[in-house]
Amino acid sequence: MTASAPITQDVHTIPRKLPEGGKINLVGLTRDRLREVLIENGTPQKQAKMRAGQVWQWIYQWGKRDFHEMTNLSKVYRAELDERFTIEIPEVVNKLVSTDGTRKYLVRIAGGHEVEVVYIPEDGRGTLCISSQVGCTLTCSFCHTGTQKLVRNLTAAEVVGQIMMARDDLDEWPVPGQPTDQNRLLSNIVLMGMGEPLYNFDNVRDAMKIAMDPEGIALSRRRITLSTSGVVPEIARTANEIGCLLAISFHATTDDVRDVLVPINKRWNIEELLQSLAAYPKVSNSERITFEYVMLDGVNDSDEDAHRLIDHIKRHNIPAKINLIPFNEWPGAPYKRSSNNRIRAFSNIVFDAGYASPIRKTRGDDIMAACGQLKSATERARKSRKQIESEAGL
C-alpha cells in the first residue's frame, strides 16, 4: 500500500468465528458489552451488572476458562453460562526459550493465521511484546515483518488473549483467597510486535482497557507502551482513549532517509510528526516519549544524524528518551548493523545533550531475535522443497 493511502485502510477485523454450537467468546468484550451479552442471553437485567463483574474477575483476575470453577455463581447459572458461552484465547503453535530466558511464541488465531508474541525477563520486571495485526502494511525497509503482507487486524480478544496466554505459560495467575504476589513476572506490555497498532485503534484500545482494569489483569497504564510509526491523526486519541506511554519508530533525521526507511513519512513527514508529539496530552518529564532509533551502518548513524535528532527534539521541547536499537540482521536484509563503536559514539552525543540514550540489549539471538523471523521460519518449514526453490527462482 502506498504512503498516500487514507487512514481508514481497506483492512477489516474478522470476528472470531463462533465454535460449533454457536457459543459466544466472552474474551475481549468491554465491561458494558459483557453486561449486554449476558442480558441478551437470559441473565435478568437487575442482576446483570453484578454477574458481569463476577464473570469478569474470574476471567481476567483469576484466569479461569471453565465456568464450573466460578464458585460464587450458582450451579444452575454456571451451567447456563457454559451452554451459551466460551472463554477462548490464541493457541500456542510454537514456543522457543532462549538461553537468556527470552520466550518467543507463535500463536494461532481465528482463520488459521499466526502472529508472534515475545516475553523478555529483566531484573525486577518482565515485558511482553504483543502484536496487533497479522502482517503489516507499512513496508518499513529495515523490518522483517514488513516483508509479510498484511492479512487482517486482530480482534480485541486476540490482542488481550496474548497477555492471557503468556500468563498461562508463566503460571502466574493468582489463586482466589490467597495473597497476590506483587513481584509480577509479566509486569509490562509493549505494542511493538507485528503490525501498526494505530491502524487497529478500536480493538487495541478495548484490549488495553481490559488489561488495565483494576478488577482484572490490573496493569498500570504507565506499564503499557504503544509504538507507532507515526499515524499522526491517531496520536492524540491514544492519550485520550488509552492513556498509555508512547513510543515512536523514528529511525531517521531527514525526510529523504525516513521516506525510505519508514514510508508512512511520505504522508506525515518528520515536522508533522514532531508537532503531534509536542502536543501529546500525556507527555511530561515523568512520562517521556520514547524515540526508537534502529542503528543502520552508513544510513542513519553519523554524528550529524545524532545532532539533528537532538535539534528536532529540543526545537519542539519534547520530553524524550532515545532508545538505540542495534539492527537485527535477517536473511536478505538490505542493511547492516552499525558497529558497536559507532553506536556508542551516537549514544554519547545524545547523552551529552541531556537525553537518556540506552542501547537496547539484543535478546534471544539463539531463537531468531528479529521480529517476524519465527513466523517466517515456521511458514518456510511447512513448504516443500519444490515450493521453496520455485519462490527463490532456482
Side-chain angles (χ1 to χ4, degrees), residues 164-322:
M164 298 167 72
M165 174 278 300
R167 294 200 85 186
D168 285 353
D169 188 58
L170 294 166
D171 191 25
E172 76 156 349
W173 289 105
V175 177
Q178 294 187 11
T180 302
D181 184 1
Q182 298 302 313
N183 298 315
R184 296 173 65 150
L185 295 173
L186 199 170
S187 61
N188 293 68
I189 300 293
V190 292
L191 284 145
M192 295 182 184
M194 301 175 71
E196 166 54 64
L198 296 190
Y199 276 148
N200 187 18
F201 186 91
D202 290 353
N203 288 307
V204 166
R205 175 200 59 211
D206 290 351
M208 292 305 101
K209 288 293 187 184
I210 293 170
M212 291 185 283
D213 191 288
E215 294 183 353
I217 297 172
L219 287 171
S220 163
R221 66 173 185 82
R222 296 180 68 166
R223 290 188 173 270
I224 297 174
T225 301
L226 183 148
S227 175
T228 176
S229 293
V231 185
V232 166
E234 305 287 9
I235 286 176
R237 251 186 108 190
T238 303
N240 294 327
E241 297 184 34
I242 302 176
C244 61
L245 302 185
L246 189 69
I248 299 296
S249 293
F250 204 68
H251 307 310
T253 60
T254 67
D255 283 324
D256 286 346
V257 176
R258 197 166 192 268
D259 283 351
V260 174
L261 296 182
V262 190
I264 197 174
N265 194 71
K266 296 174 185 175
R267 182 165 179 82
W268 297 290
N269 64 23
I270 288 176
E271 185 60 27
E272 291 175 282
L273 176 57
L274 290 168
Q275 288 176 8
S276 73
L277 299 181
Y280 190 65
K282 290 287 181 184
V283 71
S284 66
N285 286 325
S286 64
E287 298 191 24
R288 298 169 294 174
I289 290 173
T290 298
F291 283 69
E292 297 168 306
Y293 200 94
V294 65
M295 300 297 293
L296 303 171
D297 183 40
V299 176
N300 64 352
D301 62 351
S302 68
D303 287 357
E304 291 76 17
D305 281 305
H307 289 295
R308 269 194 300 267
L309 179 58
I310 294 161
D311 179 65
H312 285 321
I313 295 169
K314 284 190 171 180
R315 189 161 38 89
H316 289 84
N317 195 30
I318 301 171
K321 71 172 181 178
I322 292 81

Side-chain angles (χ1 to χ4, degrees), residues 61-264:
Q61 186 170 353
W62 311 119
K64 298 300 182 184
R65 309 289 153 73
D66 185 346
F67 292 107
H68 294 289
E69 295 183 36
M70 300 181 180
T71 52
N72 60 350
L73 303 174
S74 72
K75 287 185 178 180
V76 171
Y77 189 61
R78 281 181 262 170
E80 290 174 354
L81 291 174
D82 189 54
E83 182 182 347
R84 295 173 174 84
F85 304 112
T86 185
I87 301 168
E88 291 188 13
I89 65 170
E91 170 197 1
V92 177
V93 175
N94 192 1
K95 170 187 166 184
L96 298 174
V97 181
S98 168
T99 54
D100 64 20
T102 299
R103 303 186 186 198
K104 281 204 155 206
Y105 310 92
L106 188 69
V107 300
R108 182 174 294 129
I109 57 175
H113 303 299
E114 295 167 345
V115 296
E116 288 181 347
V117 189
V118 180
Y119 171 74
I120 304 168
E122 300 172 276
D123 290 339
R125 60 187 274 168
T127 300
L128 189 72
C129 179
I130 62 178
S131 296
S132 56
Q133 295 180 311
V134 184
C136 189
T137 188
L138 296 179
T139 64
C140 297
S141 59
F142 61 88
C143 179
H144 197 262
T145 304
T147 65
Q148 300 168 16
K149 68 179 181 179
L150 178 68
V151 178
R152 70 166 173 88
N153 287 332
L154 269 62
T155 64
E158 291 162 346
V159 175
V160 75
Q162 295 171 64
I163 305 172
M164 298 167 72
M165 174 278 300
R167 294 200 85 186
D168 285 353
D169 188 58
L170 294 166
D171 191 25
E172 76 156 349
W173 289 105
V175 177
Q178 294 187 11
T180 302
D181 184 1
Q182 298 302 313
N183 298 315
R184 296 173 65 150
L185 295 173
L186 199 170
S187 61
N188 293 68
I189 300 293
V190 292
L191 284 145
M192 295 182 184
M194 301 175 71
E196 166 54 64
L198 296 190
Y199 276 148
N200 187 18
F201 186 91
D202 290 353
N203 288 307
V204 166
R205 175 200 59 211
D206 290 351
M208 292 305 101
K209 288 293 187 184
I210 293 170
M212 291 185 283
D213 191 288
E215 294 183 353
I217 297 172
L219 287 171
S220 163
R221 66 173 185 82
R222 296 180 68 166
R223 290 188 173 270
I224 297 174
T225 301
L226 183 148
S227 175
T228 176
S229 293
V231 185
V232 166
E234 305 287 9
I235 286 176
R237 251 186 108 190
T238 303
N240 294 327
E241 297 184 34
I242 302 176
C244 61
L245 302 185
L246 189 69
I248 299 296
S249 293
F250 204 68
H251 307 310
T253 60
T254 67
D255 283 324
D256 286 346
V257 176
R258 197 166 192 268
D259 283 351
V260 174
L261 296 182
V262 190
I264 197 174

Side-chain angles (χ1 to χ4, degrees), residues 351-367:
F351 181 79
D352 289 344
Y355 297 95
S357 55
I359 300 170
R360 182 181 293 176
K361 181 181 178 182
T362 301
R363 301 293 299 267
D365 273 0
D366 53 326
I367 55 170

